[in-house]
Amino acid sequence: MTPIVLLHGLMGRGRTWRRHVPWLGELGEVHTFDAAGHGRSVSSVDTEAFVADLALFVGALGPSIVIGHSMGALHAWCLAAAHPELVQALVIEDMAPDFRGRTADDWAAMMHAWPQPFATAQDVLDFFGDVAGQYFLDSFDHSSDGYRLHGDVDTFVAISAEWGTRDFWSEWDAVRAPTLLIEAEHGITPPGQMAEMHARGPDSEYVLVPGVGHLLHDEMPQRYRELVEAFLRNR
């Protein structure tokens, strides 16, 4: 079966995909991947370093379908640009090439103020809400004193800060793998960029999903499944 590699977003982990693994397993051999800095050590927060790390993992599997959300989506298309022989198809969820001019300052202050550790799972859900709360429950480290981030706040901030200083249009323009672009109406992408990705992508499909936020695959799992299944079965 074709390997399917699932890439999580910033502050996530591979196990955030666990609710999707069963149905994706009908389409290929599913593998999750924890990015550096997310429960394991990180040597550099440059996107190229993350992609090189990912290439070692995918290279051991062989040509794969790569499915990414947010940060994972960026790493997915950068992998396809740098190593086209490793990527058979892409699913890109709610990520755009150009966040220049944006800073992570407010977000960093908010994270530093989180009341860690959260004593119980219900405390996490109460603080973040059901959808984001479950994402963090799947991501956080859990020990006898409760739930806490599985990485350093400053590392997470540095990863996202890079996106405010550069763009990734050239990497997107180099992608030749069939790609499904899924944008959340209330997600994080600057207006029009994912539609432009489609316009510039020679073998891409684009869907804007109304009424949903950045964690589309968890907020509307059935709609996400319908889109991805149709794309993978028809490619």
Side-chain angles (χ1 to χ4, degrees), residues 27 48 66 90 100 199:
L27 303 171
E48 285 77 9
V66 184
L90 289 168
R100 285 177 297 174

Side-chain angles (χ1 to χ4, degrees), residues 76-158:
W77 87 65
C78 289
L79 176 71
H83 300 279
E85 75 283 358
L86 295 181
V87 180
Q88 292 190 8
L90 289 168
V91 176
I92 301 299
E93 179 190 353
D94 211 54
M95 190 59 175
D98 191 353
F99 290 89
R100 285 177 297 174
R102 299 190 180 195
T103 73
D105 294 347
D106 291 343
W107 179 59
M110 177 185 68
M111 284 195 296
H112 279 294
W114 286 356
Q116 297 188 74
F118 295 87
T120 69
Q122 190 59 51
D123 288 338
V124 176
L125 295 172
D126 290 343
F127 190 83
F128 294 106
D130 290 341
V131 175
Q134 188 58 64
Y135 181 85
F136 284 121
L137 281 176
D138 288 337
S139 303
F140 282 177
D141 286 333
H142 181 206
S143 60
S144 59
D145 66 345
Y147 298 81
R148 64 179 73 245
L149 271 171
H150 53 302
D152 181 68
V153 169
D154 291 338
T155 297
F156 294 142
V157 171

Side-chain angles (χ1 to χ4, degrees), residues 3 18 59 96 229:
R18 63 185 177 83
E229 277 190 331

Side-chain angles (χ1 to χ4, degrees), residues 184-186 209-213 219-220:
E185 181 185 14
H186 305 302
V209 180
V212 67
E219 190 175 345
M220 289 189 177

